[in-house]
Amino acid sequence: MFRFADPYYLYLLIILPFIVALYLYSNWKRRNRIKKYGDPKLLKELMPNISKYRPDIKFWLMFSALTLTILMLARPQFGSKLETVKRAGVETVIALDISNSMLAEDVTPSRLEKAKKLISRLIDTFNNDKIGLNVFAGEAFTQLPITSDYISAKMFLESITPELITTQGTDIGGAINLAMKSFTQQENVARAIILITDGENHEGGAVEAATEAAKKGIHVFVLGIGSPDGSPIPVGNGSNNFRQDREGNVIITRLNEQMCKDLAKAGNGMYIRVDNTNSAERLLNSEIGKLSKTDVESQVYSEYNEQFQAIAWLIFIILIIEMILLDRKNPLFKNVRLFK
């Protein structure tokens, strides 16, 4: 089985088409400039030692070297040992509140950023588990379908901002209902919904949705983030700019702990308060670990051999050829038509 150990570097491949386009454009402009000086055929006769094809060949050699370098950085590997193992896992769907109140800074650096860091560290602890990521405010939608691809989960997590949803509010009931639909159809597997919210301005139906989830054997863990004392909501980058109501009063957003506790109780889960420490993370990891895990027999590669050495040698050879290959025709090979 083939894989890349560090696939993040493959995103650098995006720049390659732009490099090709820039090179072709520069060639086009160069030909147009040459035409201004006279007939291209006559100019060619006046410059017999200038090769028409060698600059292109040198470019494509360097382009190939760059492409291979990106592939080498991603660490290509081949599986060398196939084993049949029993993998145990839990399916977890995270429902993250991204309403404007999550921008409050009563936890550092903000409620939303604290929640994202907590989720990222939670993903680091997963092993053979599946994770889905939903976001909600006045409505809910799926940010990442349930998957075992933890790298993609972290990438999608980083892109989350309140601007993803224009409808403001806190539709917790809709978020739980969407999360219940996000699990796989596999039977006898432990499932959990991790709801991260400040619980403010929530709409109806939240407790009913949590109760329905519990009936289906899904545990609802509620992470309340923020302070019951409240905090203003920053606007822009100014330290003294805060969101205001219609009368010009600064809006104070407060954590609704009682609502969070009611949801956790109805969902047969646990309420956990998120503050500036890591205690919430440790407690959540402990509770997720207590869920029964279903063994699924599968074949996996337990050992992988690095392949970057072969690519490194190929890059070295290409660079040597590029250095040897001159832009001008070599007089020693004037009778050889290759690369003229």
Side-chain angles (χ1 to χ4, degrees):
M1 180 180 177
F2 180 80
R3 74 172 187 181
F4 289 101
D6 297 319
Y8 282 122
Y9 288 103
L10 295 179
Y11 285 101
L12 294 174
L13 295 172
I14 296 174
I15 67 174
L16 297 182
F18 296 98
I19 294 176
V20 173
L22 182 61
Y23 178 74
L24 295 177
Y25 175 72
S26 64
N27 277 354
W28 175 77
K29 291 198 67 174
R30 179 174 56 84
R31 286 194 298 268
N32 286 341
R33 287 196 299 267
I34 291 175
K35 289 179 181 179
K36 293 180 180 179
Y37 290 102
D39 183 13
K41 292 184 179 180
L42 178 60
L43 293 174
K44 181 179 179 182
E45 295 297 328
L46 295 175
M47 298 181 292
N49 292 327
I50 300 299
S51 173
K52 178 180 179 181
Y53 302 107
R54 293 192 183 199
D56 287 340
I57 294 172
K58 288 172 68 67
F59 167 77
W60 289 111
L61 285 172
M62 291 301 296
F63 181 83
S64 300
L66 176 60
T67 304
L68 291 172
T69 299
I70 294 174
L71 296 177
M72 182 181 68
L73 290 173
R75 292 179 58 199
Q77 299 176 333
F78 278 109
S80 60
K81 186 177 181 181
L82 186 64
E83 291 184 348
T84 300
V85 298
K86 286 187 176 182
R87 304 177 62 141
V90 172
E91 292 185 358
T92 303
V93 174
I94 297 175
L96 176 60
D97 185 351
I98 60 169
S99 57
N100 286 330
S101 60
M102 291 291 285
L103 296 175
E105 298 174 347
D106 43 6
V107 289
T108 306
S110 71
R111 295 177 183 178
L112 182 58
E113 290 304 315
K114 176 69 175 181
K116 289 166 64 173
K117 290 181 179 180
L118 186 151
I119 295 170
S120 180
R121 290 193 293 265
L122 178 65
I123 293 173
D124 290 336
T125 66
F126 281 1
N127 183 24
N128 306 329
D129 302 304
K130 291 185 177 181
I131 182 174
L133 184 58
N134 298 342
V135 293
F136 69 96
E139 58 186 358
F141 74 89
T142 299
Q143 178 77 353
L144 176 69
I146 195 162
T147 180
S148 297
D149 186 354
Y150 305 143
I151 293 176
S152 295
K154 284 195 170 186
M155 289 175 52
F156 278 90
L157 180 64
E158 287 300 316
S159 65
I160 291 177
T161 65
E163 286 74 25
L164 290 176
I165 299 179
T166 57
T167 305
Q168 282 302 303
T170 310
D171 187 5
I172 295 176
I176 296 176
N177 286 327
L178 178 61
M180 285 191 285
K181 300 175 183 177
S182 302
F183 294 101
T184 68
Q185 298 300 315
Q186 183 178 344
E187 297 181 355
N188 300 321
V189 61
R191 296 184 173 92
I193 296 173
I194 300 176
L195 180 71
I196 305 178
T197 181
D198 54 24
E200 188 175 61
N201 298 328
H202 69 284
E203 301 177 17
V207 173
E208 291 79 4
T211 302
E212 183 63 25
K215 290 179 180 178
K216 295 181 178 181
I218 303 171
H219 299 267
V220 180
F221 295 93
V222 182
L223 273 60
I225 187 164
S227 168
D229 296 331
S231 175
I233 305 172
V235 177
N237 297 322
S239 58
N240 295 319
N241 295 329
F242 300 106
R243 197 171 295 274
Q244 300 176 353
D245 58 21
R246 294 180 179 178
E247 285 72 36
N249 301 313
V250 174
I251 298 174
I252 302 297
T253 171
R254 294 177 173 83
L255 169 64
N256 188 342
E257 277 200 295
Q258 187 57 53
M259 187 277 302
C260 292
K261 292 177 181 178
D262 293 342
L263 280 177
K265 183 178 179 180
N268 193 24
M270 173 181 286
Y271 167 68
I272 302 173
R273 166 83 180 279
V274 180
D275 53 24
N276 287 315
T277 69
N278 294 326
S279 59
E281 177 186 339
R282 292 192 295 268
L283 183 56
L284 180 61
N285 287 337
S286 175
E287 292 301 315
I288 294 295
K290 293 177 183 178
L291 297 179
S292 60
K293 298 189 176 185
T294 301
D295 289 335
V296 179
E297 189 175 273
S298 59
Q299 288 189 322
V300 298
Y301 283 92
S302 59
E303 294 181 8
Y304 287 85
N305 290 332
E306 298 281 353
Q307 302 298 318
F308 71 90
Q309 300 94 333
I311 297 180
W313 275 108
L314 187 56
I315 294 172
F316 177 75
I317 294 172
I318 290 175
L319 293 178
I320 293 296
I321 296 175
E322 194 276 338
M323 292 174 61
I324 295 175
L325 192 63
L326 303 176
D327 287 333
R328 295 175 175 270
K329 297 178 182 178
N330 193 327
L332 297 177
F333 302 100
K334 62 181 179 179
N335 294 324
V336 181
R337 302 191 63 83
L338 182 63
F339 299 159
K340 284 189 175 183

